[in-house]
Amino acid sequence: MIRAKRLCDCASLRVMDYRCEAGPDDRPFTEMHDRLSLSYVRRGSFGLRSRGRSYDLVAGSILVGRPGDDYCCTHEHHDKGDECLSFQFTAEGADWLGPLREAWETRAVPPTPDLAVLGELAQAAAEGRSDIGLDEVGHLIGERFLTIVSGWSGRPQAASASDRRRAVEAALWIEAHAADAIDLDAVARFAGLSPFHFLRLFRRVIGVTPHQYLVHCRLKRAAGLLAEPEPSVTAIAYDVGFGDLSNFVRSFHRAAGVSPGAFRKAARGERNLFQERLARLAVA
């Protein structure tokens, strides 16, 4: 039901590729984290129950794990499976957590563009489409996660099972149609709700607004395409759904901290960007 493949195993972290084929008819079971981990959901969706809380994860979400925490993954909303890249840190490898170690607990982080571009870079590295190491990307994801966990309580608001299903299905619809010209009205019609009520529901369940998730999906796909030598940055901007190049460049730079062109160069082997970030992390 779950296929696991070890992609990287070094002193500071282990990287695993998980592919789950469970569906609504499969009985969930309790598991336990054995390492500090950040698992990037690259496809599909699933539910998470841990520490008395429930979450819904979609493509781009991050599953946070803490050693000794019990958790249970559920699949009542869909039957298409899910895939994750899991970065599992040793105690020494996560020394950059510092005083935030106590704040690290099993939960979900909503999809954000900055984590998405790093997640897609990790996927490119896992598939051999980038010269950046998986261990390097793992520490960059950990570094970015610090800024999120330091100021976010992560407490989900209660929602009924039917509302959660509706929000997750809407997120999957947005991902499938991200290259199209869609707006809040279009997604609300798909969900069968008024725009006002749909906006409140989506944000309560997924953790971001529909438009934020749409931008996330577009930047996520752009990051994957930028790991390749072709097509051009302009072609990628229009292909993923941005209406003009300048908007794409601004959005990507805001998420990744570098321009699309610089990101492409880094993914193809010009490693200064990532080396500098890792150096800052080492002395922080």
Side-chain angles (χ1 to χ4, degrees):
M1 188 178 300
I2 300 178
R3 289 180 292 165
K5 181 179 180 181
R6 186 170 299 189
L7 302 178
C8 173
D9 200 349
C10 56
S12 59
L13 86 164
R14 177 174 65 203
V15 183
M16 300 292 297
D17 182 319
Y18 292 117
R19 304 190 181 208
C20 178
E21 300 175 354
D25 296 331
D26 294 301
R27 186 174 183 177
F29 56 92
T30 300
E31 303 175 75
M32 180 180 289
H33 293 291
D34 63 353
R35 286 191 181 192
L36 295 168
S37 63
L38 297 171
S39 298
Y40 171 69
V41 184
R42 64 171 183 245
R43 188 184 70 82
S45 67
F46 59 93
L48 170 70
R49 294 198 299 261
S50 181
R51 300 172 59 83
R53 304 176 190 169
S54 296
Y55 306 84
D56 290 281
L57 292 87
V58 295
S61 300
I62 300 287
L63 169 60
V64 183
R66 179 172 66 180
D69 279 356
D70 292 335
Y71 68 99
C72 179
C73 293
T74 63
H75 302 83
E76 66 267 34
H77 296 324
H78 70 100
D79 57 1
K80 299 179 181 179
D82 56 81
E83 300 177 2
C84 295
L85 272 180
S86 180
F87 300 88
Q88 303 170 359
F89 301 91
T90 63
E92 295 77 12
D95 59 358
W96 35 261
L97 268 175
L100 291 174
R101 184 178 297 274
E102 294 304 316
W104 190 305
E105 62 183 36
T106 298
R107 58 186 175 184
V109 174
T112 61
D114 43 359
L115 286 173
V117 294
L118 291 175
E120 289 305 302
L121 181 61
Q123 181 60 30
E127 295 174 353
R129 295 186 290 112
S130 172
D131 294 327
I132 297 298
L134 268 176
D135 51 351
E136 293 175 319
V137 184
H139 284 289
L140 288 170
I141 289 175
E143 177 188 19
R144 180 56 191 148
F145 173 73
L146 284 181
T147 66
I148 295 174
V149 74
S150 62
W152 178 65
S153 67
R155 294 182 181 273
Q157 298 182 40
S160 68
S162 61
D163 282 346
R164 290 171 50 224
R165 181 182 184 88
R166 182 173 284 178
V168 168
E169 288 179 346
L172 296 175
W173 188 89
I174 291 173
E175 183 182 20
H177 296 84
D180 301 333
I182 60 176
D183 56 17
L184 177 61
D185 287 345
V187 191
R189 281 195 300 272
F190 169 80
L193 294 171
S194 70
F196 175 78
H197 287 95
F198 173 71
L199 176 61
R200 295 181 64 192
L201 169 65
F202 192 91
R203 187 171 186 177
R204 184 167 72 246
V205 176
I206 304 300
V208 293
T209 70
H211 183 72
Q212 287 174 321
Y213 189 64
L214 173 63
V215 172
H216 153 85
C217 291
R218 289 172 174 171
L219 293 177
K220 174 176 175 287
R221 182 163 182 244
L225 292 172
L226 286 168
E228 305 288 348
E230 298 290 342
S232 69
V233 170
T234 300
I236 290 174
Y238 289 106
D239 184 53
V240 302
F242 282 90
D244 63 82
L245 179 61
S246 60
N247 186 23
F248 168 64
V249 172
R250 284 195 303 270
S251 298
F252 194 92
H253 194 287
R254 188 163 52 245
V258 294
S259 69
F263 184 88
R264 167 169 272 170
K265 290 179 180 179
R268 302 315 301 163
E270 297 185 20
R271 307 159 76 92
N272 289 344
L273 165 68
F274 300 104
Q275 289 175 339
E276 290 170 3
R277 287 192 174 188
L278 289 172
R280 289 199 303 271
L281 179 62
V283 299

